[in-house]
């Protein structure tokens, strides 16, 4: 293998390690690392969760003395600052005696950006940046978006018929999509930081919004997302399923100052967190909500709401990715519930265009995904 091919080979392996932190590393990025000496992997590691050792430290510890004169492959630029729970990685890399460091991507965190690589170079190490860059950016797209905007990366997900309907005119929607599709959605929930719906979805479907497993989705998975309900007047029933399992899956209700005090008090007595936000056209300001979620370290948000909240998020340009599960069904009818509510643009030029579109099959359903 050429040096370039070898670097790419080991970096892809490091990225696979990094992906093991999906759903647990947040709000930290997913990072994987390998130590290679004389063509042999002598150490490896990945970042599991905040407060635990970084991938580089784990890989170097495993390599021990064999790290000396070796190459460290790491999917994100090593840190060199003290604004975190764990010690910086750059001094440990220098102490380990590696000769070369290969980095997939620069860390967008201003406390690190370029500084980690510069520190390594100043110490005399050979540093290469940009190996498997696209794959590394894709893996940590939520982290990069959060660093850039301060808001979570938003995925709008919907299960719908081929003609774009979420439910019948009477509101029936269980189940439009197949069991394999629903199983995949539970995996999405498990790997995301928070799931969001509007109060209309709660009133119509009474969802639990938990991540579950089992043949009938009867078991809660160990890791649960925050559940966010957008409810400007606190109409969510106290017995709603989204308020269950608070010991394992926390619920936050986003509302406005106009919500009745009695309803606010009743929810707080149940241990439900109330987030009071600015009002925009008699509704919760979704931009303000996402900003607040970002401040709490929520990097990724899965929207599973109805047509109106979907339309509001799209109108405010707050959606980053769309994931539509389309069942081989046709409902028809002007009064069936569509995937995007609101008002249609007068001309096709006003349509929202998706980029990087991918289609695939899940069971009998077709999934269409794309970026905005």
């Amino acid at each position: 293998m050429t040096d370039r091919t070898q670097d790419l080979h080991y970096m892809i392996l490091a990225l696979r390690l990094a992906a093991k932190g999906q759903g647990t590393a947040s709000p930290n990025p997913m990072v994987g690392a390998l130590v290679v000496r004389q063509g042999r992997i002598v150490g490896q590691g990945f970042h599991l969760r905040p407060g635990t050792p970084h991938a580089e430290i784990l890989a170097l510890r495993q390599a021990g003395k064999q790290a000396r004169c070796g190459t460290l492959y790491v999917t994100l630029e090593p840190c060199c600052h003290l604004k975190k729970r764990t010690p910086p990685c750059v001094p440990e890399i220098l102490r380990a005696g590696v000769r070369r460091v290969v980095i997939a991507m620069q860390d967008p965190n201003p406390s690190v950006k370029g500084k980690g690589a510069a520190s390594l170079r100043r110490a005399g190490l050979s540093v290469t940046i940009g190996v498997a860059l696209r794959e590394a950016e894709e893996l940590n797209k939520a982290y990069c978006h959060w660093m850039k905007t301060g808001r979570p990366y938003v995925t709008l997900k919907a299960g719908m018929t081929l003609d774009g309907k979420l439910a019948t005119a009477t509101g029936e929607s269980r189940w439009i999509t197949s069991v394999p599709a629903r199983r995949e959605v539970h995996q999405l929930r498990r790997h995301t930081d928070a799931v969001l719906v509007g109060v209309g979805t709660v009133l119509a479907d009474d969802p639990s919004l938990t991540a579950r497993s089992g043949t009938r989705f009867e078991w809660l998975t160990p890791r649960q997302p925050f559940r966010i309900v957008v409810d400007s007047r606190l109409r969510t029933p106290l017995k709603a399923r989204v308020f269950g399992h608070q010991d394992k899956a926390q619920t936050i209700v986003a509302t406005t100052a106009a919500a009745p005090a009695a309803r606010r008090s009743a929810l707080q007595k149940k241990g439900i967190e109330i987030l009071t936000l600015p009002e925009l056209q008699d509704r919760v300001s979704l931009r303000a909500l996402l900003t607040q979620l970002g401040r709490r370290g929520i990097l990724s948000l899965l929207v599973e709401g109805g047509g109106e909240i979907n339309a509001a998020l799209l109108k405010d340009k707050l959606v980053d990715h769309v994931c539509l599960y389309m069942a081989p069904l046709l409902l028809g009818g002007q009064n069936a519930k569509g995937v995007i509510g609101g008002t249609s643009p007068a001309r096709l030029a006003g349509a929202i265009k998706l980029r990087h579109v991918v289609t695939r099959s899940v069971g009998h359903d077709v999934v269409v995904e794309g970026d905005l």
Side-chain angles (χ1 to χ4, degrees), residues 98-135:
V98 298
R99 181 180 59 192
R100 181 169 177 250
V101 179
V102 181
I103 302 166
M105 65 173 283
Q106 192 177 70
D107 192 335
N109 184 340
S111 297
V112 181
K113 193 174 183 180
K115 299 181 180 71
S119 296
L120 293 170
R121 287 189 175 116
R122 280 197 301 270
L125 275 67
S126 170
V127 179
T128 301
I129 302 178
V131 176
L133 174 63
R134 186 176 62 183
E135 293 85 349

Side-chain angles (χ1 to χ4, degrees), residues 127-148:
V127 179
T128 301
I129 302 178
V131 176
L133 174 63
R134 186 176 62 183
E135 293 85 349
E137 289 177 337
E138 176 65 21
L139 179 68
N140 275 310
K141 60 186 177 184
Y143 171 75
C144 294
H145 177 82
W146 179 62
M147 275 292 167
K148 181 180 178 181

Side-chain angles (χ1 to χ4, degrees), residues 159-168 172-179 181-182 325-333 336-337 362-366:
M160 57 189 243
T161 62
L162 284 178
D163 53 344
K165 307 300 183 182
L166 294 174
T168 66
E172 183 183 356
S173 61
R174 293 181 177 173
W175 295 103
I176 287 177
T177 53
S178 63
V179 169
R182 300 205 302 277
Y325 291 81
M326 299 191 299
L329 302 171
L330 296 169
L331 267 180
K337 312 297 182 183
V362 176
H364 295 300
D365 303 325
V366 174

Side-chain angles (χ1 to χ4, degrees), residues 99-265:
R99 181 180 59 192
R100 181 169 177 250
V101 179
V102 181
I103 302 166
M105 65 173 283
Q106 192 177 70
D107 192 335
N109 184 340
S111 297
V112 181
K113 193 174 183 180
K115 299 181 180 71
S119 296
L120 293 170
R121 287 189 175 116
R122 280 197 301 270
L125 275 67
S126 170
V127 179
T128 301
I129 302 178
V131 176
L133 174 63
R134 186 176 62 183
E135 293 85 349
E137 289 177 337
E138 176 65 21
L139 179 68
N140 275 310
K141 60 186 177 184
Y143 171 75
C144 294
H145 177 82
W146 179 62
M147 275 292 167
K148 181 180 178 181
T149 67
R151 301 190 302 269
Y153 183 90
V154 176
T155 296
L156 191 158
K157 188 280 302 179
M160 57 189 243
T161 62
L162 284 178
D163 53 344
K165 307 300 183 182
L166 294 174
T168 66
T170 61
E172 183 183 356
S173 61
R174 293 181 177 173
W175 295 103
I176 287 177
T177 53
S178 63
V179 169
R182 300 205 302 277
R183 185 170 292 117
E184 186 170 289
V185 169
H186 281 284
Q187 286 293 315
L188 283 175
R189 288 179 185 173
R190 186 166 69 87
H191 290 149
T192 199
D193 291 339
V195 178
L196 179 145
V197 297
V199 64
T201 296
V202 175
L203 295 174
D205 299 338
D206 194 22
S208 69
L209 300 181
T210 50
R212 301 186 300 278
S213 60
T215 54
R216 290 177 292 181
F217 308 109
E218 65 268 40
W219 306 110
L220 290 177
T221 59
R223 199 254 184 190
Q224 292 291 323
F226 282 97
R227 297 174 291 179
I228 316 293
V229 179
V230 182
D231 183 359
S232 61
R233 298 299 184 269
L234 295 182
R235 294 185 293 142
T236 304
L238 294 177
K239 294 184 178 180
R241 294 175 67 203
V242 75
F243 293 146
H245 303 291
Q246 286 297 307
D247 57 329
K248 297 177 180 177
Q250 185 179 346
T251 302
I252 300 171
V253 179
T255 190
T256 66
R263 296 289 297 172
R264 187 186 300 270
S265 177

Side-chain angles (χ1 to χ4, degrees), residues 286-364:
L286 295 174
R287 188 172 294 274
L289 170 59
L290 294 191
T291 298
Q292 284 295 321
L293 295 180
R295 288 173 181 166
R296 298 173 70 113
I298 291 175
L299 273 59
S300 55
L301 180 68
L302 183 65
V303 177
E304 297 194 49
E308 294 308 311
I309 202 159
N310 290 346
L313 285 162
L314 287 166
K315 181 181 178 182
D316 288 348
K317 294 180 169 50
L318 295 173
V319 177
D320 303 293
H321 188 76
V322 172
C323 182
L324 302 177
Y325 291 81
M326 299 191 299
L329 302 171
L330 296 169
L331 267 180
Q334 297 286 343
N335 52 355
K337 312 297 182 183
V339 67
I340 301 173
T343 304
S344 174
R347 302 179 61 84
L348 282 174
I352 297 169
K353 299 176 179 65
L354 299 185
R355 301 175 293 108
H356 312 134
V357 176
V358 175
T359 60
R360 54 190 172 86
S361 297
V362 176
H364 295 300

